[in-house]
Amino acid sequence: MDHFLYRDGELHAEGVAIADIAATVGTPFYVYSTATLTRHYRLFTEALSPLPHLVCFAIKSLSNVAVLKVLGDLGAGMDVVSGGEYMRARAAGVPGDRIVFSGVGKTKPEMRLALEGGIRQFNVESEPELRALSEVCVSMGVRAPITIRVNPDVDAKTHEKIATGKKENKFGIPIDRASAVYAEAAALPGLQVIGIDVHIGSQLTDLAPFEAAYLKVADLTHRLRAEGHTITRLDLGGGLGIPYERSNEAPPLPLDYGALIKRTVGDLGCEIEIEPGRLISGNAGLLVASVIYVKNGEDRDFLILDAAMNDLIRPAMYGAHHDIVPVVEPAAGAAQQPFDVVGPVCETGDTFAKARHLTAQQPGDLVAFRSAGAYGAVMASEYNTRPLIPEILVKDDHFAVIRARPTFDEILGRDTIPYWL
Ligand code: LLP
């Protein structure tokens, strides 16, 4: 459930009319709902209680500092994958002991940054990374708490670009090599082994792959303990999917996911961490755009919007579906027609949807892409020198611009002409 509903015939974000935001900031823009973010975070904490746990929001899905502050103030931890994300978490006031550092390619400067600012744990993904982290720690005179990400070789049954838990993927160490790698980690002077990490992919719409992976983690916990390691923490990753096509998708609920965690690893006496991104942020955001033209092609009609693939790349990159709804509620039973919904960018890939059935549209009409909070703004670019679009946060009947649209001067000011030109 989210808080984007029609009221008096107009789409609202909580108590704010989308059209009022559009009139103030112009289109396109992203808008996020505080109530939805809060509700989704709480679904996870409720699902995991009474197990000792920390829900670490995957910042990569939506990284605006104001959004992080909403979640951080509720007590959320953060899962970061770069020095930049670490800085965002800290800027949002999240203490280091609630930040976990994931990712296959952490650099030494990034490790140093996190160790200086405070870190809950590093999720280490390879032997060279273990050695690099130990070296950094020794040079700083500290010891870093670590888990090692294991690759359980489980098929997450999701889009191939976002599956991470098969042995051919670049992530983690093969689970059957865990004994050797944990032994090496335990012998390194800068590291303190505290647990196991696993993440098998994103947008999972079936619980079975989670179950297979977590059963392997439970097994491994027993094995590593028998080998003398102290395993007190399990980071179970993110990945729970959301319904993008509301009319025919019903992925599992956080409550069922929590029950699965309790059933598979709940009796190991470990603190549980999870790293959900999409389920917290996805349906907490809309992308709002205006119709520029309705173009009647030879065999189809195009709805040309002022938003494009540079603003929301998921359809172009993964063939992803986003529901598109008019901001003015269509009359019940109003006739629909198929449109190819496209943006102004100069390539055919700049297509949001093909033959999407919508009511008649006019230039200037507003439309909203649902489920655009996750992997929307964070994956945006300035391709075609289209300015990054504003982000708006709504709470009850208030809204605030939490990232402004840059001016052309700001964009051009980042380029410099070398002295010889
Ligand atoms: N933890 C790790 C280590 C991850 O790699 C990811 C996502 C997450 C947590 C959060 O997963 P989530 O709960 O959001 O599914 N850009 C793609 C998704 C990429 C996901 C990358 N890793 C998309 O738009 O679908």
Side-chain angles (χ1 to χ4, degrees), residues 30-78:
Y30 279 101
V31 54
Y32 311 121
S33 153
T34 302
T36 311
L37 290 164
T38 304
R39 179 184 141 79
H40 290 166
Y41 166 73
R42 291 210 169 118
L43 288 177
F44 279 115
T45 55
E46 284 159 18
L48 290 180
S49 294
L51 291 181
H53 68 269
L54 185 66
V55 176
C56 297
F57 176 59
I59 291 188
K60 64 168 76 70
S61 71
L62 174 53
S63 64
N64 189 290
V65 173
V67 168
L68 303 185
K69 184 152 171 52
V70 168
L71 296 169
D73 287 356
L74 295 169
M78 300 284 153

Coordinates of all heavy atoms in Angstrom, one line a residue, residues 30-78:
Y30 N 10.5 14.0 -9.2 CA 10.2 12.8 -8.4 C 9.5 13.3 -7.1 O 9.9 14.4 -6.6 CB 11.4 12.1 -8.0 CG 12.0 11.2 -9.1 CD1 13.0 11.5 -9.9 CD2 11.4 9.9 -9.2 CE1 13.5 10.7 -10.9 CE2 11.9 9.0 -10.2 CZ 12.9 9.4 -11.0 OH 13.4 8.6 -12.0
V31 N 8.5 12.6 -6.6 CA 7.9 12.9 -5.3 C 7.8 11.7 -4.5 O 7.5 10.6 -4.9 CB 6.5 13.6 -5.5 CG1 5.6 12.7 -6.4 CG2 5.9 13.9 -4.2
Y32 N 8.2 11.9 -3.2 CA 8.3 10.7 -2.2 C 7.3 11.0 -1.1 O 7.2 12.1 -0.6 CB 9.7 10.5 -1.7 CG 10.8 10.5 -2.8 CD1 11.8 11.4 -2.8 CD2 10.7 9.6 -3.8 CE1 12.8 11.4 -3.8 CE2 11.7 9.5 -4.8 CZ 12.7 10.5 -4.8 OH 13.7 10.4 -5.7
S33 N 6.8 9.9 -0.5 CA 5.8 10.0 0.6 C 6.5 9.5 1.9 O 6.9 8.4 2.0 CB 4.6 9.2 0.3 OG 4.0 8.7 1.5
T34 N 6.5 10.4 2.9 CA 7.1 10.1 4.2 C 6.3 8.9 4.8 O 6.9 8.0 5.4 CB 7.1 11.3 5.1 OG1 7.8 12.4 4.5 CG2 7.7 11.0 6.5
A35 N 5.0 9.0 4.7 CA 4.2 8.0 5.4 C 4.4 6.6 4.7 O 4.4 5.6 5.5 CB 2.7 8.3 5.2
T36 N 4.7 6.6 3.4 CA 4.9 5.2 2.8 C 6.3 4.7 3.2 O 6.4 3.5 3.5 CB 4.8 5.4 1.3 OG1 3.6 6.1 0.9 CG2 4.8 4.0 0.6
L37 N 7.3 5.6 3.2 CA 8.6 5.1 3.6 C 8.6 4.6 5.0 O 9.1 3.5 5.3 CB 9.6 6.3 3.6 CG 10.0 6.9 2.2 CD1 10.6 8.3 2.3 CD2 10.9 5.9 1.5
T38 N 7.9 5.3 5.9 CA 7.8 4.9 7.3 C 7.1 3.6 7.4 O 7.5 2.7 8.1 CB 7.0 6.0 8.1 OG1 7.6 7.2 7.9 CG2 6.9 5.7 9.5
R39 N 6.0 3.5 6.7 CA 5.2 2.2 6.8 C 6.0 1.0 6.3 O 6.0 0.0 7.0 CB 3.9 2.4 5.9 CG 3.0 1.2 5.9 CD 1.9 1.4 4.9 NE 1.6 0.2 4.2 CZ 0.9 -0.8 4.7 NH1 0.4 -0.7 5.9 NH2 0.7 -1.9 4.0
H40 N 6.7 1.2 5.2 CA 7.4 0.0 4.7 C 8.6 -0.3 5.6 O 8.9 -1.5 5.8 CB 7.9 0.4 3.3 CG 6.8 0.4 2.3 ND1 7.0 0.9 1.0 CD2 5.5 0.0 2.3 CE1 5.9 0.9 0.4 NE2 5.0 0.3 1.1
Y41 N 9.3 0.6 6.2 CA 10.4 0.3 7.1 C 9.8 -0.4 8.3 O 10.3 -1.5 8.7 CB 11.0 1.6 7.6 CG 11.9 1.4 8.8 CD1 13.1 0.8 8.7 CD2 11.5 1.9 10.1 CE1 13.9 0.5 9.8 CE2 12.3 1.6 11.2 CZ 13.5 1.0 11.0 OH 14.3 0.7 12.1
R42 N 8.7 0.0 8.8 CA 8.1 -0.6 10.0 C 7.6 -2.0 9.7 O 7.6 -2.9 10.6 CB 6.9 0.2 10.5 CG 7.4 1.5 11.1 CD 6.5 2.0 12.3 NE 7.2 3.1 13.0 CZ 6.7 4.3 13.0 NH1 5.5 4.6 12.5 NH2 7.4 5.3 13.7
L43 N 7.1 -2.3 8.5 CA 6.7 -3.7 8.1 C 7.8 -4.6 8.4 O 7.7 -5.7 8.8 CB 6.3 -3.7 6.6 CG 4.9 -3.1 6.3 CD1 4.7 -3.2 4.8 CD2 3.8 -3.8 7.0
F44 N 9.1 -4.2 8.0 CA 10.2 -5.1 8.2 C 10.6 -5.2 9.7 O 10.9 -6.3 10.2 CB 11.4 -4.6 7.5 CG 11.4 -4.9 6.0 CD1 11.3 -3.9 5.0 CD2 11.5 -6.2 5.6 CE1 11.3 -4.2 3.7 CE2 11.5 -6.6 4.2 CZ 11.4 -5.6 3.3
T45 N 10.6 -4.1 10.4 CA 10.9 -4.3 11.9 C 9.9 -5.1 12.6 O 10.2 -6.0 13.4 CB 11.1 -2.9 12.6 OG1 9.9 -2.2 12.4 CG2 12.2 -2.1 12.0
E46 N 8.6 -5.0 12.2 CA 7.6 -5.8 12.8 C 7.7 -7.3 12.4 O 7.6 -8.2 13.2 CB 6.2 -5.3 12.4 CG 5.8 -4.0 13.2 CD 4.7 -3.2 12.5 OE1 4.0 -3.7 11.7 OE2 4.6 -2.0 12.9
A47 N 8.1 -7.5 11.1 CA 8.2 -8.9 10.7 C 9.4 -9.6 11.3 O 9.4 -10.8 11.5 CB 8.4 -8.9 9.1
L48 N 10.4 -8.9 11.7 CA 11.6 -9.5 12.3 C 11.5 -9.6 13.9 O 12.2 -10.4 14.5 CB 12.9 -8.8 11.9 CG 13.3 -8.9 10.5 CD1 14.6 -8.2 10.2 CD2 13.5 -10.4 10.1
S49 N 10.7 -8.8 14.5 CA 10.6 -8.8 15.9 C 10.0 -10.2 16.3 O 9.2 -10.7 15.6 CB 9.6 -7.7 16.4 OG 10.2 -6.5 16.2
P50 N 10.4 -10.8 17.5 CA 11.3 -10.2 18.5 C 12.7 -10.6 18.3 O 13.5 -10.4 19.2 CB 10.7 -10.9 19.8 CG 10.3 -12.2 19.3 CD 9.8 -12.0 17.9
L51 N 13.1 -11.1 17.1 CA 14.6 -11.3 16.9 C 15.4 -10.1 17.1 O 14.9 -9.0 16.7 CB 14.8 -11.9 15.5 CG 14.3 -13.3 15.1 CD1 14.7 -13.6 13.7 CD2 14.9 -14.3 16.1
P52 N 16.6 -10.1 17.7 CA 17.4 -8.9 17.6 C 17.8 -8.6 16.2 O 18.2 -9.6 15.5 CB 18.7 -9.3 18.5 CG 18.6 -10.8 18.5 CD 17.2 -11.3 18.3
H53 N 17.6 -7.4 15.7 CA 17.8 -7.2 14.3 C 18.0 -5.7 14.0 O 17.8 -4.8 14.9 CB 16.5 -7.6 13.5 CG 15.3 -6.7 13.8 ND1 14.4 -7.0 14.8 CD2 14.9 -5.6 13.2 CE1 13.5 -6.0 14.8 NE2 13.8 -5.2 13.9
L54 N 18.6 -5.5 12.8 CA 18.7 -4.1 12.3 C 18.3 -4.1 10.8 O 18.8 -4.9 10.1 CB 20.1 -3.6 12.5 CG 20.3 -2.1 12.1 CD1 19.5 -1.2 13.0 CD2 21.8 -1.7 12.1
V55 N 17.4 -3.3 10.5 CA 17.0 -3.1 9.1 C 17.8 -2.0 8.5 O 17.7 -0.9 8.9 CB 15.5 -2.7 9.0 CG1 15.1 -2.5 7.5 CG2 14.6 -3.8 9.6
C56 N 18.7 -2.4 7.6 CA 19.7 -1.5 7.0 C 19.2 -1.1 5.6 O 19.2 -1.9 4.7 CB 21.1 -2.1 6.9 SG 21.8 -2.5 8.5
F57 N 18.7 0.1 5.4 CA 18.1 0.5 4.1 C 19.2 0.6 3.1 O 20.3 1.2 3.3 CB 17.5 1.9 4.3 CG 17.0 2.5 3.0 CD1 16.0 1.8 2.3 CD2 17.4 3.7 2.6 CE1 15.5 2.4 1.1 CE2 17.0 4.3 1.4 CZ 16.0 3.6 0.7
A58 N 19.0 -0.1 1.9 CA 20.0 -0.1 0.8 C 19.9 1.3 0.2 O 19.0 1.6 -0.7 CB 19.7 -1.2 -0.2
I59 N 20.9 2.1 0.5 CA 20.9 3.5 0.0 C 20.9 3.6 -1.5 O 20.4 4.5 -2.1 CB 22.1 4.3 0.6 CG1 22.0 4.4 2.1 CG2 22.3 5.6 -0.1 CD1 23.0 5.3 2.7
K60 N 21.5 2.6 -2.1 CA 21.6 2.6 -3.6 C 20.2 2.8 -4.3 O 20.1 3.3 -5.3 CB 22.3 1.4 -4.1 CG 21.5 0.1 -3.9 CD 22.1 -1.0 -4.7 CE 23.4 -1.6 -4.1 NZ 23.2 -2.3 -2.8
S61 N 19.1 2.4 -3.6 CA 17.8 2.5 -4.2 C 17.3 3.9 -4.2 O 16.5 4.2 -5.1 CB 16.8 1.5 -3.5 OG 16.5 2.0 -2.2
L62 N 17.6 4.7 -3.2 CA 17.1 6.1 -3.2 C 18.0 6.8 -2.1 O 17.9 6.5 -0.9 CB 15.6 6.1 -2.7 CG 15.0 7.4 -2.4 CD1 15.1 8.4 -3.6 CD2 13.5 7.3 -2.1
S63 N 18.8 7.7 -2.6 CA 19.9 8.1 -1.7 C 19.8 9.6 -1.3 O 20.7 10.1 -0.6 CB 21.2 7.9 -2.4 OG 21.3 8.7 -3.5
N64 N 18.6 10.2 -1.5 CA 18.5 11.6 -1.1 C 18.7 11.7 0.4 O 18.0 10.9 1.2 CB 17.2 12.2 -1.5 CG 17.1 13.7 -1.3 OD1 17.1 14.1 -0.1 ND2 17.2 14.5 -2.4
V65 N 19.5 12.6 0.9 CA 19.8 12.7 2.3 C 18.5 12.9 3.2 O 18.4 12.4 4.3 CB 20.8 13.8 2.6 CG1 21.0 14.1 4.1 CG2 22.1 13.5 1.9
A66 N 17.5 13.7 2.6 CA 16.3 13.9 3.4 C 15.5 12.6 3.6 O 15.0 12.3 4.7 CB 15.4 14.9 2.7
V67 N 15.5 11.7 2.6 CA 14.9 10.4 2.7 C 15.6 9.6 3.7 O 15.0 8.9 4.6 CB 14.8 9.7 1.3 CG1 14.4 8.2 1.5 CG2 13.9 10.4 0.4
L68 N 17.0 9.6 3.7 CA 17.7 8.8 4.6 C 17.5 9.3 6.0 O 17.5 8.5 7.0 CB 19.2 9.0 4.3 CG 19.6 8.5 2.9 CD1 21.2 8.6 2.7 CD2 19.1 7.1 2.5
K69 N 17.2 10.6 6.2 CA 17.0 11.1 7.5 C 15.6 10.7 8.0 O 15.5 10.3 9.2 CB 17.1 12.7 7.5 CG 16.9 13.3 8.9 CD 17.6 14.6 9.0 CE 17.2 15.3 10.4 NZ 17.4 14.4 11.5
V70 N 14.6 10.6 7.2 CA 13.3 10.0 7.6 C 13.5 8.6 8.2 O 13.1 8.3 9.3 CB 12.4 9.9 6.4 CG1 11.1 9.1 6.7 CG2 11.9 11.3 5.9
L71 N 14.3 7.8 7.5 CA 14.5 6.4 7.9 C 15.4 6.3 9.1 O 15.2 5.6 10.0 CB 15.0 5.6 6.7 CG 14.0 5.4 5.6 CD1 14.6 4.8 4.3 CD2 12.7 4.6 6.0
G72 N 16.5 7.1 9.0 CA 17.5 7.1 10.1 C 16.9 7.5 11.4 O 17.1 7.0 12.5
D73 N 16.0 8.5 11.3 CA 15.3 9.0 12.6 C 14.4 7.9 13.2 O 14.1 8.0 14.4 CB 14.5 10.3 12.3 CG 15.5 11.5 12.1 OD1 16.7 11.3 12.3 OD2 15.0 12.6 11.8
L74 N 14.0 7.0 12.3 CA 13.1 5.9 12.8 C 14.0 4.8 13.5 O 13.4 3.8 14.0 CB 12.3 5.3 11.7 CG 11.2 6.2 11.1 CD1 10.7 5.5 9.8 CD2 10.1 6.4 12.0
G75 N 15.3 4.9 13.3 CA 16.2 3.9 13.9 C 16.8 3.0 12.8 O 17.5 2.0 13.2
A76 N 16.5 3.2 11.6 CA 17.1 2.4 10.5 C 18.6 2.4 10.5 O 19.2 3.5 10.7 CB 16.5 2.7 9.1
G77 N 19.2 1.3 10.1 CA 20.6 1.3 9.7 C 20.6 1.5 8.2 O 19.6 1.7 7.5
M78 N 21.8 1.6 7.7 CA 22.0 1.9 6.3 C 23.0 0.9 5.7 O 24.0 0.6 6.3 CB 22.6 3.3 6.0 CG 21.7 4.4 6.6 SD 20.2 4.7 5.5 CE 19.1 5.4 6.7

